[in-house]
Every structure is written in structure tokens, then in C-alpha cells.
Amino acid sequence: EDFIQGRHVPQHFIVISGLPKPAKPVRYVSQYPILDASDYSNCLKYIGDKVEVIGKIYSIKKEEMINGDPYLFVNFGEWRRDIVKIIIWPNELKKFKSMPDQTWIGKWISVTGLMELPFSHPRNRYTHLFINLSDSLQLHIIPEDEALYRLQKEEGSHPPLPNAALLERFSNNTKT
């Protein structure tokens, strides 16, 4: 009855404010080692471990199984070199809302999974480290600033891709 009549209602106001900001930026913490996909030699140390790999997509190559089902290689570098890549097999590819395609090139992703034994191509002398995607939820597109933050790098300090360095070297040599 007091409530309906508006009697004995406290006249205090509660003000909710945000939490104070930490003095130092909070470092991203993953439950797995965080690896830069462009650092092949460091990734090589984590074969057999579950890791979080963060990198910029260099290329996507679509292949087909004998039965015609598609699968993808998501490469973090020139495929004729020693690189890290993601393999997405047909069963998982079907679970993607939008299938990774050429529009993904240049995007940053975070992938968690087991760093598999390397595959070496005997004639061409390159080796690929890879993560087999066993669940579409292992892969997330993230903004570049988030990728650099997770890798603890400043914006613009990401090492150039191998072909970019070669093109730069080539263009410098032709100018002289």
C-alpha cells in the first residue's frame, strides 16, 4: 500500500560509474603460446603443441578431393617457401557462413590448433608447417590493430612478406 501511495520511498539516487582504467595497458593473454605466422623458424619450435597463430593471409588456394569436395590452404606466405598454413578440410569448410576466398587475402586471422609435423616437398625444397582446422570456431578474423596488440608489436612494425621484400630489392637494383 505504501508503494502504491508513494509513501516511505527512499529519495536516494544510485550512480554507477565505470571501473578505473589500469595504469598500464593490459596484455593479451591466451591459454596457448601466441605465434606470429610470419616467423616460420619460431613456429617450428612448437610442433606437437596446441598454439594460437596470428597472421595476415597471403593467399588462399582451393583444391578438390578425388570425390570433388573442396578444401582450402590458407597461406601466411609464398607457398614455394618455408611457411605456416592452415588446412580447412571439406567437413569444416561446409560449416563456414562465408567460405574463405580471395577477398580474405590481406585480412588478419587468429587460429588455434595443433601445430602439425611439417610437410616437405622433396623436389622444390620447401617445408610447410600447418594447423588442420577441426572446428570452424578455431579461426577468427581480427582487425590489424588487434593482431599487432596480441603479437605485442607496434603498428607498422610487422615484417614484410617475402615477395614484398624481393620486389623492393628488385626495384632498388633496377634504379641504379
Side-chain angles (χ1 to χ4, degrees):
E1 190 175 312
D2 283 347
F3 177 76
I4 294 172
Q5 298 289 325
R7 291 182 294 200
H8 306 294
V9 178
Q11 296 299 314
H12 301 289
F13 296 99
I14 298 174
V15 177
I16 300 174
S17 64
L19 296 174
K21 292 185 178 182
K24 290 175 26 180
V26 179
R27 184 173 175 263
Y28 173 75
V29 178
S30 174
Q31 61 183 355
Y32 307 112
I34 301 168
L35 306 179
D36 183 342
S38 68
D39 189 349
Y40 175 85
S41 59
N42 186 49
C43 291
L44 198 56
K45 299 172 189 173
Y46 290 89
I47 294 172
D49 293 340
K50 197 158 186 182
V51 295
E52 178 178 355
V53 174
I54 297 173
K56 189 175 187 178
I57 297 175
Y58 180 84
S59 67
I60 294 180
K61 186 174 183 194
K62 184 178 178 182
E63 296 285 339
E64 288 187 355
M65 308 282 284
I66 294 172
N67 65 3
D69 286 346
Y71 65 95
L72 294 179
F73 294 127
V74 178
N75 299 318
F76 292 113
E78 168 61 42
W79 69 270
R80 290 179 214 107
R81 298 188 178 276
D82 294 344
I83 62 164
V84 177
K85 68 178 5 173
I86 308 303
I87 302 176
I88 308 174
W89 297 109
N91 288 341
E92 287 313 311
L93 202 51
K94 293 174 188 174
K95 296 177 185 175
F96 277 84
K97 291 178 184 174
S98 72
M99 184 186 299
D101 59 18
Q102 301 308 307
T103 63
W104 284 40
I105 293 173
K107 292 187 178 186
W108 288 84
I109 62 172
S110 168
V111 179
T112 55
L114 184 69
M115 186 65 75
E116 301 280 350
L117 288 170
F119 166 79
S120 296
H121 193 282
R123 286 178 293 163
N124 296 333
R125 297 185 179 152
Y126 63 75
T127 303
H128 291 175
L129 289 173
F130 58 93
I131 293 175
N132 277 312
L133 213 64
S134 58
D135 187 329
S136 60
L137 296 175
Q138 289 173 258
L139 185 149
H140 300 280
I141 296 175
I142 58 176
E144 179 180 14
D145 59 342
E146 176 66 18
L148 297 175
Y149 171 73
R150 290 183 186 192
L151 291 169
Q152 294 294 295
K153 295 184 176 200
E154 292 181 24
E155 191 172 344
S157 68
H158 195 64
L161 297 171
N163 72 333
L166 289 173
L167 287 173
E168 184 178 341
R169 193 177 315 147
F170 178 76
S171 67
N172 289 337
N173 288 341
T174 58
K175 291 177 184 175
T176 55

